[in-house]
Amino acid sequence: MNEKKLRKKANLWIATAANELNEIRRRWRLTSNRQFARAVGMNERTIAKLNPKQPDSSLSLETVDRIYSALIALRCVYITDEEMEEEYRRLMESRIRIAMSVAPLPQAVKDAVADELQSRGKQTGKC
């Protein structure tokens, strides 16, 4: 495998994170890096690494976790009371999508899932 392909594969989670957080920013109407950085208490340069068109590979997963922690706490500021639970669910699903893109599942896990689904009589699907 060439270096460019390896680098692209390794940065898949960063692209996923950039897209997920961009969607949240639009939903919360925090469209500028300055607004979003202030809201989550981070440096604008760090937030700039989340550009969906050109995500920066130096972004750390820990930084993404800190952003999500801040977003969960800030729901009461940016989201109406009626939508708080729904927004919490959206944030959790968004973070899980990032987690799922960090690394491919080991073959042993894929095999265990396939075996379990087969024993339950399911042809395809997810647990």
Side-chain angles (χ1 to χ4, degrees):
M1 217 184 270
N2 66 28
E3 184 181 327
K4 188 175 181 180
K5 196 171 184 181
L6 272 174
R7 193 173 56 210
K8 184 177 180 181
K9 202 171 196 179
N11 293 334
L12 178 62
W13 77 264
I14 297 172
T16 303
N19 288 322
E20 292 290 338
L21 287 164
N22 190 53
E23 179 63 33
I24 293 165
R25 288 172 59 164
R26 277 188 272 151
R27 195 167 56 238
W28 289 26
R29 294 178 184 87
L30 294 170
T31 54
S32 77
N33 284 348
R34 179 173 287 169
Q35 286 176 313
F36 191 65
R38 276 195 202 133
V40 297
M42 294 196 151
N43 187 295
E44 278 183 66
R45 288 176 298 201
T46 300
I47 298 304
K49 294 178 181 184
L50 291 164
N51 179 346
K53 294 177 183 170
Q54 192 173 8
D56 188 324
S57 63
S58 68
L59 185 70
S60 74
L61 199 52
E62 181 181 356
T63 299
V64 172
D65 284 337
R66 288 180 184 189
I67 292 169
Y68 273 88
S69 292
L71 292 171
I72 290 167
L74 288 168
R75 285 178 304 141
C76 63
V77 175
Y78 292 94
I79 304 299
T80 64
D81 288 343
E82 298 81 31
E83 297 173 334
M84 288 230 338
E85 286 305 311
E86 176 66 15
E87 188 61 24
Y88 181 78
R89 183 190 61 75
R90 287 178 178 163
L91 290 170
M92 293 304 101
E93 289 175 356
S94 172
R95 183 58 188 91
I96 288 169
R97 284 190 291 274
I98 296 167
M100 295 299 291
S101 70
V102 169
L105 290 175
Q107 190 59 46
V109 173
K110 291 177 184 178
D111 293 344
V113 170
D115 291 346
E116 181 61 26
L117 291 175
Q118 187 176 32
S119 73
R120 291 182 185 184
K122 296 180 180 178
Q123 296 295 322
T124 59
K126 298 178 184 176
C127 288

Coordinates of all heavy atoms in Angstrom, one line a residue, residues 48-116:
A48 N -9.9 25.3 13.6 CA -9.7 25.4 12.1 C -9.2 24.0 11.6 O -9.4 23.8 10.4 CB -8.6 26.5 11.8
K49 N -8.7 23.2 12.4 CA -8.3 21.8 12.0 C -9.5 21.0 11.6 O -9.4 20.0 11.0 CB -7.6 21.1 13.1 CG -6.2 21.8 13.4 CD -5.5 21.1 14.6 CE -4.2 21.7 14.9 NZ -3.5 21.0 15.9
L50 N -10.7 21.5 12.0 CA -12.0 20.7 11.7 C -12.6 21.2 10.4 O -13.8 20.9 10.2 CB -12.9 20.9 12.9 CG -12.5 20.2 14.1 CD1 -13.3 20.8 15.3 CD2 -12.7 18.7 14.0
N51 N -11.9 21.8 9.5 CA -12.4 22.2 8.2 C -12.8 20.9 7.4 O -11.9 20.1 7.1 CB -11.4 23.0 7.5 CG -11.9 23.5 6.1 OD1 -12.9 23.0 5.6 ND2 -11.2 24.4 5.5
P52 N -14.1 20.7 7.1 CA -14.5 19.5 6.4 C -13.8 19.3 5.0 O -13.7 18.2 4.6 CB -16.0 19.6 6.3 CG -16.4 20.7 7.2 CD -15.2 21.5 7.4
K53 N -13.5 20.4 4.4 CA -12.9 20.4 3.1 C -11.4 20.0 3.2 O -10.8 19.5 2.2 CB -13.1 21.7 2.4 CG -14.5 22.0 2.0 CD -14.7 23.3 1.4 CE -16.1 23.6 1.1 NZ -16.4 25.0 0.7
Q54 N -10.8 20.3 4.3 CA -9.4 20.0 4.4 C -9.0 19.8 5.9 O -8.4 20.6 6.6 CB -8.5 21.1 3.9 CG -7.1 20.8 3.7 CD -6.3 21.9 3.0 OE1 -6.8 23.0 2.8 NE2 -5.1 21.6 2.7
P55 N -9.5 18.6 6.5 CA -9.2 18.4 7.9 C -7.7 18.2 8.2 O -7.0 17.7 7.3 CB -10.0 17.1 8.2 CG -10.4 16.5 6.9 CD -10.3 17.6 5.8
D56 N -7.3 18.6 9.3 CA -5.9 18.6 9.7 C -5.6 17.3 10.4 O -6.2 17.0 11.5 CB -5.6 19.8 10.5 CG -4.1 20.0 10.8 OD1 -3.4 19.0 11.0 OD2 -3.7 21.1 10.9
S57 N -4.6 16.6 10.0 CA -4.3 15.3 10.6 C -3.6 15.4 11.9 O -3.4 14.4 12.6 CB -3.4 14.5 9.6 OG -2.1 15.1 9.5
S58 N -3.3 16.6 12.4 CA -2.7 16.7 13.7 C -3.7 16.8 14.8 O -3.4 16.9 16.0 CB -1.8 18.0 13.7 OG -2.5 19.2 13.6
L59 N -5.0 16.8 14.4 CA -6.1 16.9 15.4 C -6.0 15.6 16.2 O -5.8 14.5 15.7 CB -7.4 17.0 14.7 CG -8.6 17.2 15.6 CD1 -8.6 18.5 16.3 CD2 -9.9 17.0 14.8
S60 N -6.2 15.7 17.5 CA -6.2 14.5 18.4 C -7.6 14.1 18.8 O -8.6 14.9 18.8 CB -5.4 14.7 19.6 OG -6.1 15.5 20.6
L61 N -7.8 12.8 19.0 CA -9.1 12.3 19.4 C -9.5 12.8 20.8 O -10.7 13.1 21.1 CB -9.0 10.7 19.5 CG -10.3 10.0 19.5 CD1 -11.2 10.4 18.3 CD2 -10.1 8.5 19.4
E62 N -8.5 13.1 21.6 CA -8.8 13.7 22.9 C -9.4 15.1 22.8 O -10.3 15.5 23.5 CB -7.5 13.8 23.7 CG -7.7 14.4 25.1 CD -6.4 14.5 25.9 OE1 -5.3 14.1 25.4 OE2 -6.5 15.1 27.0
T63 N -8.9 15.9 21.8 CA -9.5 17.2 21.5 C -10.9 17.1 21.1 O -11.8 17.8 21.5 CB -8.7 17.9 20.4 OG1 -7.3 18.1 20.9 CG2 -9.3 19.2 20.1
V64 N -11.2 16.1 20.2 CA -12.6 15.9 19.8 C -13.5 15.5 21.0 O -14.6 16.0 21.1 CB -12.7 14.8 18.7 CG1 -14.1 14.4 18.4 CG2 -12.0 15.2 17.5
D65 N -13.0 14.7 21.9 CA -13.7 14.3 23.1 C -14.0 15.6 24.0 O -15.1 15.7 24.5 CB -13.0 13.3 23.9 CG -13.1 11.9 23.3 OD1 -14.1 11.6 22.6 OD2 -12.2 11.0 23.6
R66 N -13.0 16.4 24.1 CA -13.2 17.7 24.8 C -14.3 18.6 24.2 O -15.1 19.2 24.9 CB -11.9 18.5 25.0 CG -10.9 17.8 25.9 CD -9.7 18.6 25.9 NE -8.7 17.8 26.8 CZ -7.6 18.3 27.2 NH1 -7.2 19.5 26.9 NH2 -6.8 17.6 27.9
I67 N -14.3 18.6 22.9 CA -15.3 19.4 22.2 C -16.7 18.8 22.5 O -17.7 19.5 22.8 CB -15.1 19.5 20.7 CG1 -13.8 20.3 20.4 CG2 -16.3 20.0 19.9 CD1 -13.3 20.2 19.0
Y68 N -16.8 17.5 22.4 CA -18.1 16.9 22.7 C -18.6 17.1 24.1 O -19.8 17.3 24.4 CB -18.1 15.4 22.3 CG -18.5 15.2 20.8 CD1 -17.5 15.2 19.8 CD2 -19.8 15.0 20.4 CE1 -17.8 15.1 18.5 CE2 -20.1 14.9 19.1 CZ -19.1 14.9 18.1 OH -19.5 14.8 16.8
S69 N -17.6 17.0 25.1 CA -18.0 17.3 26.5 C -18.6 18.7 26.6 O -19.6 18.9 27.3 CB -16.8 17.1 27.3 OG -16.3 15.8 27.4
A70 N -17.9 19.6 25.9 CA -18.4 21.0 26.0 C -19.8 21.1 25.4 O -20.7 21.8 25.9 CB -17.4 22.0 25.3
L71 N -20.0 20.5 24.2 CA -21.3 20.5 23.5 C -22.4 20.0 24.4 O -23.5 20.5 24.4 CB -21.2 19.8 22.2 CG -20.3 20.5 21.1 CD1 -20.1 19.6 19.9 CD2 -20.8 21.9 20.7
I72 N -22.1 18.9 25.1 CA -23.1 18.3 25.9 C -23.5 19.2 27.0 O -24.7 19.4 27.3 CB -22.6 16.9 26.5 CG1 -22.6 15.9 25.4 CG2 -23.5 16.4 27.6 CD1 -21.8 14.6 25.7
A73 N -22.5 19.9 27.6 CA -22.8 20.9 28.7 C -23.5 22.1 28.1 O -24.4 22.7 28.8 CB -21.5 21.3 29.4
L74 N -23.2 22.5 26.9 CA -23.8 23.7 26.3 C -25.2 23.5 25.7 O -25.8 24.5 25.2 CB -22.9 24.2 25.2 CG -21.6 24.9 25.7 CD1 -20.6 25.1 24.5 CD2 -21.8 26.2 26.4
R75 N -25.7 22.4 25.7 CA -27.1 22.1 25.2 C -28.1 23.1 25.7 O -28.9 23.7 25.0 CB -27.6 20.7 25.4 CG -27.0 19.7 24.5 CD -27.5 18.3 24.9 NE -27.2 18.1 26.3 CZ -28.1 17.4 27.1 NH1 -29.2 17.0 26.7 NH2 -27.8 17.2 28.4
C76 N -28.0 23.4 27.0 CA -29.0 24.2 27.7 C -28.9 25.7 27.2 O -29.8 26.5 27.4 CB -28.9 24.1 29.2 SG -27.3 24.7 29.9
V77 N -27.7 26.0 26.6 CA -27.5 27.4 26.1 C -28.0 27.6 24.7 O -28.6 28.6 24.4 CB -26.0 27.8 26.2 CG1 -25.7 29.1 25.6 CG2 -25.5 27.7 27.6
Y78 N -27.8 26.6 23.9 CA -28.1 26.7 22.4 C -29.4 26.0 22.0 O -29.8 26.2 20.9 CB -26.9 26.2 21.6 CG -25.7 27.1 21.8 CD1 -24.7 26.9 22.7 CD2 -25.6 28.3 21.0 CE1 -23.7 27.7 22.8 CE2 -24.5 29.1 21.1 CZ -23.6 28.8 22.1 OH -22.5 29.7 22.2
I79 N -29.9 25.1 22.8 CA -31.0 24.3 22.4 C -32.2 24.5 23.4 O -32.0 24.7 24.6 CB -30.6 22.8 22.5 CG1 -29.4 22.5 21.6 CG2 -31.8 21.8 22.1 CD1 -29.5 22.8 20.1
T80 N -33.4 24.5 22.8 CA -34.6 24.7 23.6 C -34.8 23.5 24.5 O -34.4 22.4 24.3 CB -35.8 24.9 22.8 OG1 -36.1 23.7 22.0 CG2 -35.7 26.1 21.8
D81 N -35.5 23.8 25.6 CA -35.8 22.7 26.6 C -36.5 21.5 25.9 O -36.2 20.4 26.3 CB -36.7 23.2 27.7 CG -36.0 24.2 28.7 OD1 -34.7 24.2 28.6 OD2 -36.7 24.9 29.4
E82 N -37.4 21.8 25.0 CA -38.1 20.7 24.3 C -37.2 19.8 23.5 O -37.6 18.7 23.2 CB -39.3 21.3 23.4 CG -40.3 22.1 24.2 CD -39.9 23.5 24.5 OE1 -39.1 24.1 23.7 OE2 -40.3 24.1 25.5
E83 N -36.1 20.4 23.0 CA -35.2 19.7 22.1 C -34.0 19.1 22.7 O -33.2 18.5 22.1 CB -34.9 20.6 20.9 CG -36.0 21.0 20.1 CD -35.6 22.0 19.0 OE1 -34.6 22.8 19.3 OE2 -36.3 22.1 18.0
M84 N -33.8 19.3 24.1 CA -32.6 18.9 24.7 C -32.3 17.4 24.7 O -31.2 17.0 24.4 CB -32.6 19.4 26.2 CG -32.4 20.9 26.2 SD -31.2 21.6 27.3 CE -30.8 20.5 28.5
E85 N -33.3 16.6 24.9 CA -33.1 15.2 24.9 C -32.8 14.7 23.5 O -31.9 13.8 23.3 CB -34.3 14.4 25.4 CG -34.4 14.5 26.9 CD -33.2 14.0 27.7 OE1 -32.6 12.9 27.4 OE2 -32.7 14.8 28.6
E86 N -33.5 15.2 22.5 CA -33.2 14.9 21.1 C -31.8 15.3 20.7 O -31.1 14.5 20.0 CB -34.2 15.5 20.2 CG -34.0 15.3 18.7 CD -34.1 13.8 18.3 OE1 -34.7 13.0 19.0 OE2 -33.7 13.5 17.2
E87 N -31.3 16.5 21.1 CA -30.0 16.9 20.8 C -28.9 16.0 21.5 O -27.9 15.8 20.9 CB -29.8 18.4 21.2 CG -28.5 19.0 20.7 CD -28.4 19.0 19.2 OE1 -29.4 18.9 18.5 OE2 -27.2 19.0 18.7
Y88 N -29.2 15.6 22.7 CA -28.3 14.7 23.4 C -28.1 13.4 22.6 O -27.0 13.0 22.4 CB -28.8 14.4 24.8 CG -27.9 13.5 25.6 CD1 -26.8 14.0 26.2 CD2 -28.2 12.2 25.8 CE1 -25.9 13.2 26.9 CE2 -27.4 11.3 26.5 CZ -26.2 11.9 27.1 OH -25.4 11.0 27.8
R89 N -29.2 12.9 22.1 CA -29.2 11.7 21.3 C -28.4 11.9 20.1 O -27.5 11.1 19.7 CB -30.6 11.2 21.0 CG -30.6 9.9 20.2 CD -32.0 9.6 19.6 NE -32.5 10.6 18.7 CZ -32.1 10.7 17.5 NH1 -31.1 10.0 17.0 NH2 -32.6 11.7 16.7
R90 N -28.6 13.1 19.4 CA -27.8 13.4 18.2 C -26.3 13.5 18.5 O -25.5 13.0 17.7 CB -28.3 14.7 17.6 CG -29.7 14.6 16.9 CD -30.0 16.0 16.4 NE -31.3 16.0 15.8 CZ -32.0 17.1 15.5 NH1 -31.5 18.3 15.9 NH2 -33.1 17.1 14.9
L91 N -26.0 14.1 19.6 CA -24.6 14.3 19.9 C -23.9 12.9 20.2 O -22.8 12.6 19.7 CB -24.4 15.2 21.1 CG -24.7 16.7 20.9 CD1 -24.7 17.4 22.3 CD2 -23.7 17.3 20.0
M92 N -24.6 12.1 20.9 CA -24.1 10.7 21.2 C -23.9 9.9 19.9 O -22.9 9.2 19.7 CB -25.0 10.0 22.2 CG -25.1 10.6 23.6 SD -23.4 10.7 24.3 CE -23.1 12.4 24.1
E93 N -24.9 9.9 19.0 CA -24.8 9.2 17.8 C -23.7 9.7 16.9 O -23.0 9.0 16.3 CB -26.2 9.2 17.0 CG -27.3 8.4 17.7 CD -28.6 8.6 17.0 OE1 -28.8 9.4 16.1 OE2 -29.5 7.9 17.4
S94 N -23.5 11.0 16.9 CA -22.5 11.7 16.2 C -21.1 11.2 16.7 O -20.2 10.8 15.9 CB -22.6 13.2 16.3 OG -21.5 13.8 15.7
R95 N -20.9 11.2 18.0 CA -19.7 10.8 18.6 C -19.4 9.3 18.3 O -18.3 8.9 18.1 CB -19.6 11.1 20.1 CG -18.3 10.7 20.8 CD -17.2 11.5 20.1 NE -15.9 11.0 20.6 CZ -15.2 10.1 20.1 NH1 -15.6 9.4 19.0 NH2 -14.0 9.7 20.7
I96 N -20.4 8.5 18.3 CA -20.3 7.0 18.0 C -19.9 6.8 16.6 O -19.0 6.0 16.3 CB -21.6 6.3 18.4 CG1 -21.7 6.2 19.9 CG2 -21.6 4.9 17.8 CD1 -23.1 5.7 20.4
R97 N -20.4 7.6 15.7 CA -20.0 7.5 14.3 C -18.5 7.8 14.1 O -17.8 7.1 13.3 CB -20.8 8.4 13.4 CG -22.2 7.9 13.1 CD -22.9 8.7 12.0 NE -23.3 10.0 12.4 CZ -24.4 10.3 13.1 NH1 -25.3 9.4 13.4 NH2 -24.6 11.6 13.4
I98 N -18.0 8.8 14.9 CA -16.5 9.0 14.9 C -15.8 7.8 15.4 O -14.8 7.4 14.8 CB -16.2 10.3 15.6 CG1 -16.9 11.5 15.0 CG2 -14.7 10.5 15.8 CD1 -16.9 12.8 15.8
A99 N -16.2 7.3 16.5 CA -15.6 6.2 17.2 C -15.5 5.0 16.2 O -14.5 4.3 16.1 CB -16.3 5.8 18.5
M100 N -16.6 4.8 15.5 CA -16.6 3.6 14.6 C -15.7 3.8 13.4 O -15.3 2.9 12.7 CB -18.1 3.4 14.1 CG -19.0 3.0 15.2 SD -18.6 1.4 15.9 CE -18.9 0.3 14.6
S101 N -15.3 5.1 13.1 CA -14.4 5.3 12.0 C -12.9 5.4 12.4 O -12.1 5.5 11.5 CB -14.8 6.6 11.3 OG -14.5 7.7 12.1
V102 N -12.6 5.2 13.7 CA -11.3 5.3 14.1 C -10.4 4.1 13.6 O -9.3 4.3 13.2 CB -11.2 5.4 15.7 CG1 -9.8 5.2 16.2 CG2 -11.7 6.7 16.1
A103 N -11.0 2.9 13.7 CA -10.3 1.8 13.3 C -11.3 0.7 12.8 O -12.4 0.6 13.3 CB -9.4 1.2 14.4
P104 N -10.9 -0.1 11.8 CA -11.8 -1.1 11.3 C -11.9 -2.2 12.4 O -11.0 -2.4 13.2 CB -11.0 -1.7 10.1 CG -9.6 -1.3 10.2 CD -9.6 0.0 11.0
L105 N -13.0 -2.9 12.4 CA -13.2 -3.9 13.4 C -12.3 -5.1 13.1 O -12.1 -5.4 11.9 CB -14.7 -4.5 13.3 CG -15.8 -3.5 13.8 CD1 -17.1 -4.1 13.5 CD2 -15.6 -3.2 15.2
P106 N -11.7 -5.7 14.1 CA -10.9 -6.8 13.9 C -11.7 -8.0 13.3 O -12.9 -8.1 13.6 CB -10.4 -7.2 15.3 CG -10.6 -6.0 16.1 CD -11.7 -5.2 15.5
Q107 N -11.0 -8.8 12.6 CA -11.7 -9.9 11.9 C -12.4 -10.8 12.9 O -13.5 -11.3 12.7 CB -10.8 -10.8 11.0 CG -11.5 -11.8 10.2 CD -12.4 -11.1 9.2 OE1 -12.1 -10.1 8.6 NE2 -13.6 -11.7 9.1
A108 N -11.8 -11.0 14.1 CA -12.4 -11.8 15.1 C -13.8 -11.3 15.6 O -14.7 -12.0 15.8 CB -11.5 -12.0 16.3
V109 N -13.9 -10.0 15.6 CA -15.1 -9.3 16.0 C -16.2 -9.5 14.9 O -17.3 -9.9 15.2 CB -14.9 -7.8 16.4 CG1 -16.3 -7.1 16.6 CG2 -14.0 -7.7 17.6
K110 N -15.8 -9.3 13.7 CA -16.7 -9.5 12.6 C -17.2 -10.9 12.5 O -18.4 -11.2 12.3 CB -16.0 -9.2 11.2 CG -15.6 -7.7 11.0 CD -14.9 -7.5 9.7 CE -14.5 -6.1 9.5 NZ -13.7 -5.9 8.3
D111 N -16.3 -11.9 12.8 CA -16.6 -13.3 12.7 C -17.6 -13.6 13.9 O -18.6 -14.3 13.7 CB -15.4 -14.2 12.9 CG -14.5 -14.1 11.6 OD1 -15.0 -13.6 10.6 OD2 -13.3 -14.6 11.8
A112 N -17.4 -13.1 15.1 CA -18.3 -13.3 16.2 C -19.7 -12.8 15.9 O -20.7 -13.4 16.2 CB -17.7 -12.7 17.5
V113 N -19.8 -11.6 15.3 CA -21.0 -11.0 15.0 C -21.8 -11.8 13.9 O -22.9 -12.1 14.1 CB -20.9 -9.5 14.5 CG1 -22.2 -9.0 13.9 CG2 -20.4 -8.6 15.6
A114 N -21.0 -12.2 12.9 CA -21.6 -13.1 11.9 C -22.1 -14.4 12.4 O -23.2 -14.8 12.1 CB -20.6 -13.3 10.8
D115 N -21.3 -15.0 13.3 CA -21.7 -16.3 13.9 C -23.0 -16.1 14.8 O -23.9 -16.9 14.7 CB -20.6 -16.9 14.8 CG -19.4 -17.3 14.0 OD1 -19.6 -17.5 12.7 OD2 -18.4 -17.6 14.6
E116 N -23.0 -15.0 15.5 CA -24.2 -14.8 16.4 C -25.5 -14.5 15.5 O -26.5 -15.0 15.8 CB -24.0 -13.6 17.3 CG -25.1 -13.3 18.2 CD -25.5 -14.4 19.2 OE1 -24.6 -15.2 19.5 OE2 -26.6 -14.4 19.6

